[in-house]
Amino acid sequence: MTTREETLALWRKQEEEVRAKLAPPGVSSLEDLKAGSGMEFLQKIWDGLLPSVPIAETLDFIPVEGEPGRIVFQGTPSKRHYNPLGSVHGGYFCTLLDSAVACAVHSMLPQGMGYTTLELKVNLVRALTDKVGPVRAEGKVIQVGKQVGIAEGRIIDAEGKLYAHATTTCLVFPLP
């Protein structure tokens, strides 16, 4: 059985390895997006061949694992993410989960296809604070068809404690 300390050590090592490869934030071109499958596009970002994502820099989270149909982001909530009530703002939960579930859908798209989020449903289960340490948002595809992609996600801490869960519906379309 893995202890919390072992899990945290593994998560921090993975984060350090990913951060070392990421390029500065920016926006990729439509040509870059159309050059390969959704998974190939995401992998190029993670390998530092395309710009990293600006919102990820703003909220300080990164991708740590990915394969077709499953994407994991990691972030460490801090006081800069707080609301006036003294806990992490709900927007942090929503952004982390939207990134995970939408990228899970994106990872399944063939070359020439894009997507946009149509609906995001998030349930906050418990508060996040700067004392929790790193959390992970894992997105998993439920179904991706020619026009609609559906995925679910969860935010957990190093002990596996659930903080929020979500579902998304994405519109899938040919890129211009």
Side-chain angles (χ1 to χ4, degrees):
M1 183 170 191
T2 306
T3 68
R4 180 179 192 279
E5 291 74 28
E6 291 169 331
T7 300
L8 285 173
L10 173 65
W11 284 13
R12 288 186 176 117
K13 182 177 185 244
Q14 284 178 306
E15 182 174 342
E16 184 180 319
E17 290 170 357
V18 171
R19 285 191 187 279
K21 292 192 297 185
L22 290 176
V27 178
S28 296
S29 70
L30 184 58
E31 290 74 29
D32 287 331
L33 185 58
K34 290 167 57 172
S37 69
M39 190 68 224
E40 291 167 339
F41 176 77
L42 293 170
Q43 192 64 55
K44 285 180 182 178
I45 293 171
W46 303 337
D47 289 341
L49 302 173
L50 292 174
S52 62
V53 182
I55 190 66
E57 180 188 47
T58 300
L59 294 181
D60 193 25
F61 66 89
I62 61 165
V64 289
E65 294 179 13
E67 60 190 293
R70 181 181 165 274
I71 305 295
V72 181
F73 285 90
Q74 180 172 306
T76 303
S78 69
K79 287 193 176 174
R80 71 185 175 127
H81 302 121
Y82 274 28
N83 60 34
L85 303 175
S87 62
V88 173
H89 190 279
Y92 181 87
F93 290 83
C94 293
T95 302
L96 202 57
L97 282 164
D98 184 41
S99 297
V101 295
C103 284
V105 169
H106 192 183
S107 74
M108 297 294 292
L109 298 181
Q111 183 172 358
M113 297 299 286
Y115 77 97
T116 191
T117 300
L118 288 176
E119 183 259 349
L120 178 68
K121 167 78 168 82
V122 178
N123 290 81
L124 308 181
V125 175
R126 62 175 41 89
L128 272 174
T129 69
D130 61 332
K131 308 279 187 280
V132 172
V135 294
R136 288 197 167 183
E138 178 181 27
K140 290 183 180 179
V141 162
I142 296 171
Q143 164 69 31
V144 176
K146 292 182 183 199
Q147 294 183 314
V148 175
I150 303 167
E152 61 189 358
R154 301 163 48 96
I155 293 178
I156 61 165
D157 67 12
E159 295 173 336
K161 188 183 298 182
L162 180 68
Y163 287 82
H165 59 95
T167 57
T168 192
T169 303
C170 295
L171 175 66
V172 175
F173 54 86
L175 293 169

